[in-house]
Amino acid sequence: MLSQINLNLLRTLQVLMEECHVSRSAERLCLTQSAVSRQLNQLRELFADPLLIREGNRLLPTPRGLQLKLQVDAILEGCEALLAAPSFDPEQWQGPMIMASSDYVAQYILPDIVERVQRQAPRLNLSYRLWSPEQISRLGELDIHLVSTMLPAIPDGLCGAQIGADFPVCVLRRGHPLALAPRLTLDDLVRYPHMRVSAGGDKDSFVERELSALGLQRTVKFSVPFFSSAFQTVSRTDMLLVLPEHIAMNMQALFDITYCPLPLTTPEHRYWLLWHPRYDADPAHRWFREQVMAVMQSSMYSIQPRVY
């Protein structure tokens, strides 16, 4: 039975019952009178009822026709609601929303994000996850809605927006033997032990590639996923740390560190907000990522415009 009917027939039945006149119905439906008459015959056959009986210049509905009119009104109203754009009111939105990033973003930028969205969406239930680069290929399977990470480009199959870009530098404590050197040399870079931050994105694997091409090798003595632990450690030891410049620059005010250019060809680091396409058209997600991007672009701890 369902294969014999479509919404156009139901709409024709609705208008015919309201107008009780073929020509006026045809005008409202932007159809010819003959097309409306054919559809009325289809409806009569479908429902095994005349539906409308001619009396002079007008049509009178049958009891079955009046009954169908009530049902069709409800069906078409439901279809209109189904096709209407979803409404979104941040003040009434209850979430949840899950964001993932490095702990640098979590510690220094996430509080500003929470403050901003809490003012506008007080019922939002926001959760945070520490991001691991290995998760990128499984983002569609995870319950993470938004990711802040560092990658060369947006991976195929994902959506994203670029936050900014900078270049890596070498971080060391202010009292380090190399701190007053006019420049960092390759010998300096391999002579001292290194540490690395393992979470958030690939910040320093290029160092191994560049050194290997020159027949050199560095020694990584300490690896940790937390920026705060990394800065605490580098400020107390002679270890070197390769990190994005904006992070090194911002952390100088909080830790006893300095930084300098690397004696290597350095890649550009690009920072993104990423999300799975299934969230792209969702109005709540769109609103949330717009708030996050606004904070990312204004935070004193985020990427500031630089001239190289």
Side-chain angles (χ1 to χ4, degrees), residues 276-292:
H276 194 271
R278 62 181 170 145
Y279 299 121
D280 194 51
D282 179 59
H285 192 279
R286 184 185 302 114
W287 176 86
F288 178 70
R289 64 186 185 246
E290 287 172 354
Q291 308 313 306
V292 173

Side-chain angles (χ1 to χ4, degrees), residues 158-208:
L158 296 182
C159 299
Q162 187 169 0
I163 302 169
D166 68 357
F167 292 86
V169 295
C170 182
V171 180
L172 60 163
R173 66 182 178 90
R174 291 187 191 277
H176 197 286
L178 298 176
L180 298 179
R183 64 184 180 87
L184 186 68
T185 67
L186 285 171
D187 288 340
D188 294 332
L189 192 64
V190 298
R191 179 156 48 98
Y192 285 89
H194 285 239
M195 59 180 298
R196 65 189 309 267
V197 177
S198 58
D202 180 7
K203 303 169 189 63
D204 66 349
S205 66
F206 74 93
V207 175
E208 272 74 23

Side-chain angles (χ1 to χ4, degrees), residues 108-122:
Y108 298 106
I109 302 177
L110 186 62
D112 291 339
I113 294 173
V114 174
E115 180 184 11
R116 182 185 180 99
V117 301
Q118 182 67 26
R119 286 198 306 265
Q120 301 178 61

Side-chain angles (χ1 to χ4, degrees), residues 38 62 155 164 204 273 279 303:
R38 284 197 302 271
T62 66
D204 66 349
L273 288 181
Y279 299 121
I303 306 148

Side-chain angles (χ1 to χ4, degrees), residues 46-98:
L46 180 65
F47 292 109
D49 188 272
L51 301 177
L52 290 154
I53 303 296
R54 179 170 296 281
E55 184 178 274
N57 292 327
R58 59 177 181 164
L59 297 172
L60 298 179
T62 66
R64 175 66 166 148
L66 292 174
Q67 179 190 36
L68 287 171
K69 171 65 165 57
L70 296 176
Q71 294 175 289
V72 167
D73 286 347
I75 291 171
L76 294 182
E77 183 179 352
C79 290
E80 290 287 346
L82 181 67
L83 297 174
S87 61
F88 172 69
D89 179 3
E91 191 171 348
Q92 301 301 319
W93 182 39
Q94 299 186 40
M97 190 63 66
I98 299 174

Side-chain angles (χ1 to χ4, degrees), residues 2-272:
L2 289 177
S3 63
Q4 298 176 277
I5 195 167
N6 60 53
L7 291 180
N8 290 327
L9 279 178
L10 295 183
R11 175 60 178 157
T12 297
L13 176 59
Q14 183 185 52
V15 173
L16 279 167
M17 288 294 166
E18 291 172 353
E19 296 292 341
C20 292
H21 199 281
V22 171
S23 61
R24 289 199 299 266
S25 296
E27 186 176 347
R28 278 184 59 183
L29 293 167
C30 298
L31 297 173
T32 63
Q33 291 187 38
S34 59
V36 173
S37 294
R38 284 197 302 271
Q39 291 188 9
L40 176 56
N41 288 331
Q42 286 180 265
L43 288 163
R44 284 167 169 164
E45 182 178 350
L46 180 65
F47 292 109
D49 188 272
L51 301 177
L52 290 154
I53 303 296
R54 179 170 296 281
E55 184 178 274
N57 292 327
R58 59 177 181 164
L59 297 172
L60 298 179
T62 66
R64 175 66 166 148
L66 292 174
Q67 179 190 36
L68 287 171
K69 171 65 165 57
L70 296 176
Q71 294 175 289
V72 167
D73 286 347
I75 291 171
L76 294 182
E77 183 179 352
C79 290
E80 290 287 346
L82 181 67
L83 297 174
S87 61
F88 172 69
D89 179 3
E91 191 171 348
Q92 301 301 319
W93 182 39
Q94 299 186 40
M97 190 63 66
I98 299 174
M99 181 177 176
S101 71
S102 68
D103 82 303
Y104 175 81
V105 171
Q107 185 168 353
Y108 298 106
I109 302 177
L110 186 62
D112 291 339
I113 294 173
V114 174
E115 180 184 11
R116 182 185 180 99
V117 301
Q118 182 67 26
R119 286 198 306 265
Q120 301 178 61
R123 300 184 181 186
L124 169 63
N125 179 11
L126 178 59
S127 300
Y128 169 81
R129 305 276 176 82
L130 185 63
W131 177 249
S132 173
E134 293 77 18
Q135 295 175 302
I136 195 70
S137 63
R138 300 188 296 109
L139 187 57
E141 307 168 17
L142 304 175
D143 57 355
I144 296 173
H145 298 95
L146 192 64
V147 176
S148 170
T149 190
M150 185 181 77
L151 285 170
I154 299 174
D156 291 341
L158 296 182
C159 299
Q162 187 169 0
I163 302 169
D166 68 357
F167 292 86
V169 295
C170 182
V171 180
L172 60 163
R173 66 182 178 90
R174 291 187 191 277
H176 197 286
L178 298 176
L180 298 179
R183 64 184 180 87
L184 186 68
T185 67
L186 285 171
D187 288 340
D188 294 332
L189 192 64
V190 298
R191 179 156 48 98
Y192 285 89
H194 285 239
M195 59 180 298
R196 65 189 309 267
V197 177
S198 58
D202 180 7
K203 303 169 189 63
D204 66 349
S205 66
F206 74 93
V207 175
E208 272 74 23
R209 293 194 300 270
E210 293 291 328
L211 289 177
S212 178
L214 298 170
L216 299 172
Q217 184 177 359
R218 70 170 177 166
T219 302
V220 178
K221 291 286 189 179
F222 178 49
S223 181
V224 65
F226 307 113
F227 282 85
S228 57
S229 177
F231 283 114
Q232 289 283 358
T233 302
V234 78
S235 63
R236 299 180 189 182
T237 69
D238 283 345
M239 291 186 189
L240 304 179
L241 174 63
V242 176
L243 278 180
E245 185 184 23
H246 78 277
I247 297 179
M249 178 177 63
N250 293 333
M251 291 299 99
Q252 285 185 118
L254 303 177
F255 297 94
D256 189 28
I257 60 169
T258 186
Y259 67 93
C260 59
L262 286 159
L264 298 169
T265 301
T266 56
E268 183 183 45
H269 286 332
R270 298 178 183 179
Y271 308 91
W272 310 88

